[in-house]
Amino acid sequence: MNRLFVQLPMALAFAVLFGLASMVSSPRAYAITTPEILQSSLSPQCLDYQVIGVCAWLYCTPWGCTVRTSIRVKHYIPELVVSAYENTGDNPWTEIAMLSPPTGDAIGGGSSRESVPEQHTNTHFKNVDAIGHPSELFYNFAGGFGWFCESNSKPFNPYFISTLDALAWRSGVPEMAYPEALTPGMREMGEVGDLWSPIYPRSGFVSQTHDYKVAATAAQRAADVVTRRGEPHVYQPLIARNSSSSGIWGPDPVEEGDSETHEWQQLAPNMRMSCSTFPDGGENDQLQDPGDYAWTLWRPYRCCKKRGQELLYFTGE
């Protein structure tokens, strides 16, 4: 089966984003604002800046060739703000909450809660939006450590809006028939004795009693989609920069529990200045109602300054 994706029209997306954002008149409970998101990116722990080696470049002129070197660094970059929220149109990121109003087949939200505990019919649904992180302040911050890497993420760009992906996000079609969805133990988030949820099918419905785990699973699923090409969803892929000739090595697509592909920073309802992968302990102190959450997705990059026409070799992990 071909896994095709449909790109969001860029110009239309930006027009909708900034046009509707201007209509927001009042903050919501548990909301987070753009200035707060900018401030949250000033986290040395999430940045995790390291000098890991050197790069050797061949630099040639009409008068001959020499070898130049530059340091090789590794650090994380905030690429996306991923919101998972209860009711359609209620994104906790204040300035973009009007970007995904109820429309067409994406009207309702919420969850089905069991009236009798023995029925075990707790099925929760989360809308999810993945928006490019407003990262300008972060890059100024990273520059204070020395040479730094950059990603392809575009600030405020809507990479995934679940209301525009209503068929796949609300039905699980066609992923409910994938091997990952049918094979126990395959692509699951959590640990033995504390299984949060399978990643597939990557939809907004999660069979889980704990609302924070529901939201985290939905956010993880959206990040899984966005960082890959050719998925059967309506989205724009965010593919990591990866070019050794330019001296930059980006991460692989997001994989649950793998800090070599990503980490999460809690933004709402309570901001943290640290990052980790799920499970992250947030279920102990972040549970709230109506169930609106937001995280920053950080991803690790390695890079060195290009100082010649050809990269001869590099050291470090």
Side-chain angles (χ1 to χ4, degrees):
M1 181 184 296
N2 293 327
R3 302 187 182 187
L4 303 178
F5 68 89
V6 183
Q7 286 196 341
L8 304 178
M10 184 71 71
L12 177 60
F14 274 110
V16 171
L17 175 61
F18 292 105
L20 292 178
S22 65
M23 298 170 60
V24 178
S25 58
S26 60
R28 297 173 51 252
Y30 309 113
I32 188 166
T33 65
T34 300
E36 290 174 317
I37 293 173
L38 289 168
Q39 188 66 29
S40 72
S41 69
L42 307 183
S43 167
Q45 192 274 339
C46 291
L47 174 68
D48 192 19
Y49 189 95
Q50 303 173 50
V51 176
I52 59 173
V54 297
C55 292
W57 301 88
L58 181 64
Y59 176 75
C60 295
T61 68
W63 297 274
C65 297
T66 59
V67 175
R68 293 181 169 183
T69 61
S70 57
I71 63 169
R72 188 165 182 255
V73 303
K74 173 187 175 183
H75 65 82
Y76 286 77
I77 298 176
E79 291 194 315
L80 295 172
V81 176
V82 183
S83 306
Y85 51 98
E86 191 88 349
N87 297 308
T88 308
D90 283 352
N91 190 316
W93 186 357
T94 304
E95 288 83 359
I96 59 97
M98 293 296 289
L99 180 60
S100 50
T103 179
D105 294 328
I107 298 176
S111 59
S112 173
R113 304 178 188 272
E114 61 187 20
S115 56
V116 180
E118 288 74 17
Q119 290 179 342
H120 298 294
T121 57
N122 279 297
T123 300
H124 292 233
F125 175 81
K126 295 292 182 184
N127 295 278
V128 174
D129 299 335
I131 309 296
H133 190 282
S135 53
E136 182 177 354
L137 189 60
F138 163 78
Y139 284 118
N140 292 335
F141 170 64
F145 289 79
W147 181 254
F148 62 90
C149 312
E150 296 185 60
S151 83
N152 286 330
S153 176
K154 297 179 176 62
F156 297 104
N157 188 61
Y159 287 95
F160 180 78
I161 304 292
S162 61
T163 55
L164 301 182
D165 186 44
L167 175 61
W169 196 252
R170 288 174 177 257
S171 71
V173 174
E175 293 181 358
M176 64 174 60
Y178 284 7
E180 298 94 329
L182 300 174
T183 308
M186 189 175 183
R187 297 299 311 274
E188 293 182 341
M189 190 167 75
E191 304 170 337
V192 176
D194 185 25
L195 177 63
W196 287 26
S197 181
I199 298 299
Y200 279 77
R202 293 171 299 181
S203 73
F205 287 97
V206 181
S207 295
Q208 169 62 253
T209 59
H210 197 290
D211 196 62
Y212 179 87
K213 296 179 182 180
V214 172
T217 297
Q220 186 77 41
R221 289 173 175 178
D224 196 89
V225 170
V226 170
T227 56
R228 289 168 169 80
R229 297 187 189 275
E231 302 299 317
H233 291 265
V234 180
Y235 74 111
Q236 290 188 59
L238 175 57
I239 306 303
R241 296 180 63 189
N242 210 325
S243 174
S244 58
S245 62
S246 299
I248 185 165
W249 298 265
D252 292 332
V254 163
E255 189 86 10
E256 61 279 2
D258 184 6
S259 62
E260 281 300 307
T261 62
H262 75 291
E263 287 194 342
W264 294 100
Q265 178 187 20
Q266 176 83 43
L267 296 177
N270 300 303
M271 185 186 297
R272 292 178 171 179
M273 294 302 287
S274 60
C275 290
S276 61
T277 59
F278 300 133
D280 63 343
E283 70 274 17
N284 298 322
D285 58 9
Q286 300 292 325
L287 184 64
Q288 52 99 25
D289 193 12
D292 300 338
Y293 305 84
W295 294 268
T296 294
L297 178 70
W298 293 69
R299 305 190 69 205
Y301 284 78
R302 296 164 174 83
C303 65
C304 55
K305 184 177 182 179
K306 186 173 183 178
R307 298 197 64 206
Q309 293 86 2
E310 183 178 351
L311 178 63
L312 298 175
Y313 65 88
F314 61 87
T315 65
E317 58 180 310

